[in-house]
Amino acid sequence: MKEISTEKAPSAIGPYSQAVVSGNLVFVSGQLPIDPATGNFAEGGIKELTRQSLTNMRGILEQAGTSMDHVLKTTVFLADMADFAAMNEVYSEFFSKPFPARSAVAVKTLPKGAPVEAECIAELP
């Protein structure tokens, strides 16, 4: 197992890696909508926050040597399922056909009170 770390995404806030590579798979930990330049949540509503979470994911994947085009599976956690349509609109900006498999679930709370968090599994090209 190889650890992946980049300044293009916020540092881990606990005992975990931003991502790890095992074989030809990259496992990206849940990405909160934190702007790595400021350490704060991105400004705006759920669309801007979703965009930041997915931008963080993309930065980690690039550091690992892959891209969003090689994502096999994502999981999106929402603090409010009423945000699903807006999240989905932004999500579609980051992925194209064939779309990765995905789960989207509502949860009671997320770390730091975030409204969205996204994780993925990708393959190396």
Side-chain angles (χ1 to χ4, degrees), residues 25 61 65-73 95 100 121-125:
L25 296 177
L61 290 170
T66 191
S67 69
M68 300 294 262
D69 292 336
H70 293 277
V71 172
L72 304 171
K73 168 78 168 78
F95 297 100
I121 300 170
E123 62 184 347
L124 294 172

Side-chain angles (χ1 to χ4, degrees), residues 12-94:
I13 58 173
Y16 61 90
S17 301
Q18 288 176 325
V20 295
V21 174
S22 180
N24 71 331
L25 296 177
V26 181
F27 299 84
V28 177
S29 293
Q31 294 302 302
L32 296 175
I34 295 173
D35 180 338
T38 66
N40 298 316
F41 286 146
E43 293 187 17
I46 192 64
K47 288 183 180 181
E48 292 79 11
L49 294 165
T50 299
R51 188 170 288 110
Q52 185 65 60
S53 288
L54 295 173
T55 298
N56 294 344
M57 179 186 294
R58 181 173 54 206
I60 294 168
L61 290 170
E62 289 171 356
Q63 181 68 30
T66 191
S67 69
M68 300 294 262
D69 292 336
H70 293 277
V71 172
L72 304 171
K73 168 78 168 78
T74 64
T75 305
V76 178
F77 304 94
L78 294 167
D80 186 347
M81 195 52 82
D83 291 332
F84 180 83
M87 174 280 296
N88 213 36
E89 184 180 326
V90 173
Y91 182 94
S92 69
E93 297 171 11
F94 284 80

